[in-house]
Amino acid sequence: MVRTQKEAKDLQIAYIGGGSKGWAWGLMSDLAMEERLSGTVKLYDINFDAAYDNAMIGNSLYDRSEVSGKWKYEAVRTIDEALQGADFVILSILPGTFDEMDSDVHQPEQYGIYQSVGDTVGPGGMVRALRTIPMYVEIAEHIKKTSPQAWVINYTNPMSHCTRTLYEVFPDIKAVGCCHEVFGTQKLLAAMLEDLKGIRDIDRSEIKINVLGINHFTWIDEAYYEDINLLPLYEEFVDKYYKQGFEGAEEDHWMNNHFASAERVKFDLFKKFGLIAAAGDRHLAEFMPHSWYLQSPEKVREWKFNLTKVNWRKENRTHLLEKGKRLKDGTETFELNPTGEEGVGMLKALLGLGDLITNVNLPNTGQMPDLPHGSVVETNALFSYDSVRPLVAGKLPKPINNMVAHHVENQAITLEAGLKKDKKLGFQAFVQDPLVDLAPEQAEELFENMLINTSDYLPGWDIYNSLSV
């Protein structure tokens, strides 16, 4: 149960996926720099040793003089141990392994389908969803049984499916899905103000926006800095940089960073539809027909973003594992740096330590009236003491809403297929994704191969039952 403000010094956080070599370290850093919170973080992971190592790393921070938030970390062997007495639950897991992700991203390339991320939509996002859904069914059941009053913050992708599954299994769950993609667009608008108006040192939180859409396919129809309406400026900015793209500092250049872009996809979508697309180009491209931005690696380079190869992720994981060993044995010092995520800010607001308005993923209760009730949408919400209230975002223009609605409905079919373990229904969603521009026979072959490659994570599925095309 959420504590009162006076009890914010004895919090219990359950971290599911506590062996993480990215998100968990980021949370440790943010918690260590927040003086108003302290308590215990219980780390649960299917790899107990990884959670144990993270507990050692987290506990090494406790006595450092510059650490304001005092937290104890404990690795536990069962999810219920982690959830027992939890005020908050953090969900940050890798659904499967990088081998399954390799199939998600690269198996479709044999059929001419390229994906820049492969974790939300497209063939990779769909199959990732099918193996993630049973995991989240189990997580939701444990939360319902062990910590039904806890607030749940999900960072795992595919965000919409994860959040929707939690609510399907446990309708009274208090869960939100968090994503930082919109933050990048706020930073771009701040850079625009410096470029066009010479206004420097703007924090992205000073850019006030109205967010509409679904995760990784969000849009902004209102944006202000103080009394400056940013949409007319954005049109000027797009005209200035449409052809060459907007490239920031050298270390952030799209050719040197797997996750960076020159914003050309974002600019093109503004030219076509008149609103600011508010996610990274790598994600936005996957929601559109494959011929637009992802037709080939050469086309991707023309649009100045990257296909993130899974081999790179595997190599990076090796580096992170080596870093983890150094952090654990003390040969490398854990650096305290703010992540820019708002998870700790959400915790503070839910504890009554100041309100927060930010974009989150929640079931639609009217904040987007043109999308189905209950579908998970991404809009702004007000966080206050023990409360998250979605703010009415309004309606997208019909052409954009039609695109968003198609993905919403396809995600709903995928979720139903995952819950029912229904291969035919899954295939019906698969062939309706804009990236799957294949003959039926090819689509069936690809879908079946991808299911076989992820079959270890599809309990109860009849994988080898043939489809009739």
Side-chain angles (χ1 to χ4, degrees):
M1 187 174 186
V2 174
R3 314 295 179 86
T4 66
Q5 182 172 341
K6 292 181 180 179
E7 295 174 308
K9 293 292 184 180
D10 187 24
L11 299 171
Q12 299 289 317
I13 297 177
Y15 195 116
I16 311 305
S20 159
K21 298 297 183 287
W23 288 99
W25 294 349
L27 179 67
M28 290 175 185
S29 185
D30 286 344
L31 288 174
M33 292 185 287
E34 176 49 61
E35 64 181 0
R36 287 176 287 182
L37 305 179
S38 64
T40 300
V41 180
K42 293 180 181 178
L43 304 171
Y44 168 72
D45 199 287
I46 57 174
N47 181 347
F48 175 79
D49 290 342
Y52 183 81
D53 289 349
N54 271 354
M56 293 183 66
I57 293 169
N59 287 327
S60 71
L61 304 177
Y62 194 92
D63 292 325
R64 284 171 51 170
S65 60
E66 74 273 34
V67 169
S68 303
K70 301 299 185 180
W71 291 85
K72 296 180 180 178
Y73 292 84
E74 177 186 353
V76 297
R77 292 190 178 275
T78 69
I79 188 171
D80 286 333
E81 286 181 81
L83 294 171
Q84 189 66 47
D87 300 300
F88 299 97
V89 180
I90 308 295
L91 304 178
S92 174
I93 69 171
L94 175 65
T97 71
F98 283 133
D99 289 335
E100 283 75 33
M101 187 185 290
D102 193 283
S103 173
D104 293 344
V105 174
H106 299 303
Q107 184 81 21
E109 291 176 357
Q110 298 180 22
Y111 297 79
I113 299 174
Y114 294 92
Q115 299 168 103
S116 35
V117 188
D119 71 353
T120 301
V121 290
M126 176 168 296
V127 173
R128 180 182 172 110
L130 291 176
R131 70 170 176 271
T132 307
I133 289 166
M135 299 178 191
Y136 268 66
V137 168
E138 184 176 350
I139 289 170
E141 289 172 343
H142 280 285
I143 293 171
K144 182 178 181 180
K145 177 183 71 173
T146 307
S147 54
Q149 295 302 313
W151 279 97
V152 181
I153 299 176
N154 176 66
Y155 289 107
T156 304
N157 288 326
M159 179 66 68
S160 298
H161 285 105
C162 291
T163 308
R164 182 74 179 270
T165 301
L166 294 173
Y167 278 93
E168 286 289 319
V169 176
F170 180 19
D172 292 328
I173 197 170
K174 299 191 294 188
V176 298
C178 298
C179 178
H180 57 217
E181 288 291 311
V182 171
F183 302 168
T185 304
Q186 288 175 296
K187 292 176 182 177
L188 177 64
L189 294 175
M192 174 190 77
L193 281 166
E194 180 175 351
D195 183 82
L196 297 182
K197 296 294 185 181
I199 305 173
R200 300 176 182 273
D201 301 321
I202 301 172
D203 187 84
R204 67 103 188 152
S205 64
E206 298 177 86
I207 307 293
K208 305 304 179 184
I209 56 177
N210 186 50
V211 180
L212 312 93
I214 57 176
N215 185 239
H216 294 156
F217 200 39
T218 40
W219 300 79
I220 293 171
D221 66 350
E222 294 180 10
Y224 287 88
Y225 171 67
E226 296 180 346
D227 61 347
I228 303 174
N229 182 354
L230 300 184
L231 259 70
L233 275 182
Y234 191 75
E235 183 173 7
E236 179 184 342
F237 188 61
V238 170
D239 287 341
K240 181 176 179 180
Y241 289 105
Y242 178 74
K243 289 185 178 180
Q244 73 267 34
F246 181 76
E247 298 169 346
E250 186 64 25
E251 64 270 17
D252 296 322
H253 191 283
W254 68 274
M255 293 184 70
N256 302 325
N257 187 329
H258 284 276
F259 304 105
S261 77
E263 315 292 356
R264 291 201 66 224
V265 171
K266 197 178 279 85
F267 294 163
D268 189 54
L269 290 173
F270 181 82
K271 287 274 192 182
K272 286 179 166 62
F273 297 103
L275 290 188
I276 302 173
D281 282 12
R282 294 161 58 252
H283 283 296
L284 292 169
E286 293 188 323
F287 285 84
M288 309 310 296
H290 89 285
S291 61
W292 285 30
Y293 310 113
L294 287 165
Q295 189 175 41
S296 66
E298 293 73 26
K299 174 78 79 172
V300 170
R301 290 186 69 82
E302 288 176 17
W303 287 101
K304 296 188 176 181
F305 65 104
N306 289 292
L307 302 173
T308 307
K309 303 292 186 182
V310 176
N311 276 344
W312 177 86
R313 295 184 186 273
K314 291 179 178 180
E315 292 169 4
N316 187 57
R317 181 170 179 80
T318 299
H319 296 316
L320 290 174
L321 288 170
E322 293 170 352
K323 179 177 181 177
K325 291 177 182 177
R326 296 193 299 271
L327 292 173
K328 185 182 71 169
D329 62 26
T331 57
E332 180 175 336
T333 301
F334 189 105
E335 295 185 9
L336 299 180
N337 294 305
T339 64
E341 300 292 336
E342 290 189 333
V344 171
M346 292 175 187
L347 267 59
K348 291 193 296 181
L350 291 168
L351 289 161
L353 301 177
D355 293 349
L356 172 70
I357 294 177
T358 189
N359 57 290
V360 289
N361 292 266
L362 284 166
N364 187 20
T365 56
Q367 59 266 42
M368 291 199 65
D370 281 353
L371 292 179
H373 190 277
S375 61
V376 169
V377 297
E378 186 165 341
T379 67
N380 287 337
L382 171 63
F383 285 69
S384 56
Y385 176 69
D386 201 20
S387 172
V388 178
R389 287 178 287 173
L391 302 180
V392 175
K395 298 181 179 182
L396 286 165
K398 286 186 177 180
I400 299 176
N401 194 75
N402 285 347
M403 294 187 295
V404 173
H406 175 80
H407 286 286
V408 167
E409 295 291 358
N410 221 34
Q411 288 174 347
I413 297 169
T414 305
L415 177 63
E416 184 180 356
L419 293 173
K420 293 181 176 178
K421 310 179 193 307
D422 189 327
K423 182 179 176 182
K424 286 188 177 181
L425 191 60
F427 179 66
Q428 289 166 5
F430 187 82
V431 295
Q432 293 188 66
D433 188 280
L435 292 185
V436 184
D437 185 15
L438 299 175
E441 297 81 3
Q442 287 183 307
E444 177 182 346
E445 182 178 75
L446 173 60
F447 183 63
E448 292 194 326
N449 287 338
M450 293 180 74
L451 288 188
I452 290 170
N453 292 341
T454 202
S455 59
D456 288 347
Y457 297 90
L458 298 178
W461 280 69
D462 187 358
I463 299 295
Y464 298 96
N465 181 35
S466 64
L467 292 161
S468 98
V469 178

